[in-house]
Amino acid sequence: MIALASDHAGLPLKKEIMTLLGSMGLEYKDYGTYTSASCDYAVYAQRAAKAVASGECERGILCCGTGIGISMAANKVKGIRCACVSDCYSAKLTRMHNDANMLAMGSRVVGVDLGKMIAEIFLTTAYEGGRHQHRVDQIMAIEAGEDLTNL
Ligand code: RB5
């Protein structure tokens, strides 16, 4: 199950991502927003991010105007590693190296075709593990309040 969320600005791209997920045979849950009325991205980011953090959804895709605000909000939820991406290389590498569990994109930044390509790469690329695990663990250690500054 893929968690989706957007604000009003990200809604058009989120709708395209829904079509993509359908064609990939992937189920999704849309945590809003559902209309083009102006709204606050943090509200929807938190809903989708909580679904990913709890394990209810395996991954999440978020859209706002830039992808930035909604990714910042998602990353405040414990357990979330959300990457704001606007190119295919970063989409692949954030899965391979960072084990990102959420992707954020800006519908005012990427076009529909690129956005769909980025989402497909994000959803089909495996985490490499190995030497990267230690680094991902460090990210999560910071979240848990550990002090890495003396390393
Ligand atoms: C909404 O106008 C816009 O600020 C929002 O979608 C997003 O780009 C914020 O980061």
Side-chain angles (χ1 to χ4, degrees):
M1 184 69 69
I2 308 299
L4 297 179
S6 73
D7 67 358
H8 55 290
L11 186 62
L13 182 57
K14 184 179 68 177
K15 285 183 178 166
E16 297 288 346
I17 301 299
M18 286 174 178
T19 308
L20 170 75
L21 296 182
S23 71
M24 291 175 77
L26 294 174
E27 287 188 311
Y28 59 82
K29 201 163 169 186
D30 181 10
Y31 289 88
T33 189
Y34 307 110
T35 75
S36 58
S38 183
C39 64
D40 303 324
Y41 52 79
V43 172
Y44 304 99
Q46 191 183 35
R47 286 180 190 165
K50 279 186 153 192
V52 173
S54 71
E56 191 184 332
C57 294
E58 298 99 67
R59 304 250 183 98
I61 300 180
L62 306 171
C63 305
C64 69
T66 58
I68 297 172
I70 206 160
S71 65
M72 286 180 168
N75 277 318
K76 296 296 178 190
V77 174
K78 238 182 172 157
I80 295 303
R81 290 179 303 282
C82 180
C84 180
V85 166
S86 52
D87 67 276
C88 295
Y89 178 78
S90 302
K92 198 167 184 70
L93 270 288
T94 200
R95 283 292 309 132
M96 289 169 68
H97 291 190
N98 315 126
D99 197 17
N101 50 15
M102 297 192 86
L103 166 73
M105 291 185 288
S107 66
R108 295 170 180 162
V109 178
V110 299
V112 169
D113 285 359
L114 177 57
K116 287 166 94 168
M117 213 176 270
I118 288 169
E120 187 170 359
I121 291 167
F122 175 77
L123 293 169
T124 55
T125 303
Y127 173 49
E128 263 183 9
R131 73 185 195 279
H132 303 294
Q133 189 54 52
H134 175 60
R135 296 160 187 167
V136 172
D137 287 345
Q138 287 183 327
I139 297 173
M140 304 324 282
I142 293 171
E143 182 178 271
E146 285 181 40
D147 185 4
L148 309 186
T149 58
N150 57 351
L151 292 181

